[in-house]
Amino acid sequence: MNNLPNCPKCNSEYVYEDGVLLVCPECAYEWDPAEVVAGEAGPVAIDANGNQLADGDTVTLIKDLKVKGAPKDLKQGTRVKNIRIVEGDHNIDCKIDGFGAMKLKSEFVKKI
């Protein structure tokens, strides 16, 4: 019995191999299984300790951060709940209690 994945387009279980590609006979979709695995990874964020961060994690700031245009700084030890990993230089999108929506760099946080 072969253990091939279901079709990513129509979720059919009747997938077969054709050389290096997988083919779905129901919707005629062809794909390379190596590309699908690499494509699903999405953005990656690594914290200050080298741990990989994921959506929904809770993190703590490791240093005071000055925020341009804000009356006060973000203090070391501030907890940030339910983060989202996004593409870009500031790769964490979050809401900080008492401060509001913020984008942070993952190098200034550590996973709890």
Side-chain angles (χ1 to χ4, degrees), residues 4 21 24 78 80 103 111:
L4 296 175
L21 298 177
C24 175
T78 302
V80 181
K103 288 190 177 254
K111 190 174 183 177

Side-chain angles (χ1 to χ4, degrees), residues 21-70:
L21 298 177
L22 296 178
V23 180
C24 175
E26 292 185 3
C27 68
Y29 183 65
E30 297 180 358
W31 74 97
D32 184 2
E35 290 179 10
V36 171
V37 171
E40 292 176 355
V44 177
I46 307 295
D47 73 356
N49 294 333
N51 299 321
Q52 185 170 352
L53 300 172
D55 289 346
D57 282 347
T58 299
V59 296
T60 303
L61 296 177
I62 61 167
K63 66 180 268 184
D64 290 352
L65 297 176
K66 296 183 181 190
V67 181
K68 191 185 246 184

